[in-house]
Amino acid sequence: VAVIVFNTTLALLFGGALFFFISEYNGVLQGMSFIEKINNSWFQSATARTAGFNTVDLSNINAGTFLLMVSLMIAGGSPGGTAGGIKTGTLGILALCCYNAIRGRDNIIRNRNITPETIQKAITLTILCLLVLLISILMLITTQTAKPAHLVFEAASALGTVGLSMGATPYLDEIGKVIIILTMFMGRVGPATLVCYINA
């Protein structure tokens, strides 16, 4: 599992940084030196899954970067950390299973078999997290007046307990704030509670 988590984390960090760099080279990174663009791209790729700090104006990112940031927040951090989302371990297992299915191979990594129970847990966690995200987005779009894209970003940020925002947070009413709080709670506590329940 540690190998899966490590490789998945590296893929998300480097892949996210590269995409952010290319996507925003003439966008929010415009005016920065080449090194500053690399630093900011790397930082945003890392913080989208964990800390929630931003060094660029996220309200001005383009559509491609928007999808990248949302995807990274849904992916979340690694098991044992305080980040929410579906976790890198879960994502890595699902990616490995898809790869092996395409090649017609067994789910084995370094001579160790990934049990059907582990795969089942990964699928269950992913479906539940995405379901919570979908419900949160639907409730926010239905009750709030902010731009739908900004609300989607808020919901993904809450699910991943990231803290990033495109500027919609100050405009949420009491209902919107409760929805975000509940989404954050589910993103942080829900997966861990489910795993404990399954193992009970």
Side-chain angles (χ1 to χ4, degrees):
V1 176
V3 174
I4 295 177
V5 170
F6 181 75
N7 290 337
T8 304
T9 300
L10 286 182
L12 291 174
L13 283 173
F14 283 97
L18 178 61
F19 188 95
F20 193 98
F21 179 83
I22 296 173
S23 179
E24 295 296 337
Y25 190 89
N26 292 317
V28 295
L29 299 177
Q30 191 172 19
M32 299 181 184
S33 67
F34 187 77
I35 298 300
E36 288 176 336
K37 289 182 178 181
I38 293 178
N39 288 338
N40 280 276
S41 298
W42 176 263
F43 183 80
Q44 292 304 145
S45 176
T47 195
R49 298 186 304 106
T50 53
F53 297 108
N54 58 290
T55 55
V56 296
D57 185 5
L58 296 179
S59 62
N60 291 324
I61 58 176
N62 60 46
T65 310
F66 168 81
L67 290 176
L68 168 71
M69 299 292 285
V70 169
S71 299
L72 290 176
M73 290 189 290
I74 293 174
S78 298
T82 57
I86 65 175
K87 303 289 189 178
T88 54
T90 302
L91 183 62
I93 289 173
L94 292 178
L96 181 63
C97 290
C98 289
Y99 175 76
N100 287 336
I102 293 173
R103 300 196 62 182
R105 298 170 55 183
D106 293 330
N107 291 311
I108 298 176
I109 179 171
R110 293 198 173 186
N111 299 321
R112 295 186 63 182
N113 185 49
I114 301 177
T115 64
E117 291 78 11
T118 301
I119 298 173
Q120 185 180 31
K121 289 178 183 178
I123 294 173
T124 303
L125 285 172
T126 301
I127 292 176
L128 287 179
C129 281
L130 293 178
L131 182 61
V132 170
L133 179 63
L134 176 61
I135 293 174
S136 176
I137 291 173
L138 290 175
M139 293 176 67
L140 286 173
I141 292 178
T142 302
T143 61
Q144 306 303 303
T145 58
K147 294 180 180 179
H150 291 186
L151 294 175
V152 171
F153 196 92
E154 293 286 329
S157 179
L159 180 71
T161 61
V162 175
L164 291 176
S165 175
M166 294 184 71
T169 304
Y171 302 102
L172 297 177
D173 58 22
E174 297 303 319
I175 296 177
K177 292 175 182 177
V178 170
I179 295 172
I180 291 297
I181 291 172
L182 292 176
T183 306
M184 291 176 63
F185 181 80
M186 291 299 298
R188 179 66 190 96
V189 180
T193 302
L194 178 64
V195 169
C196 292
Y197 176 77
I198 292 175
N199 291 331

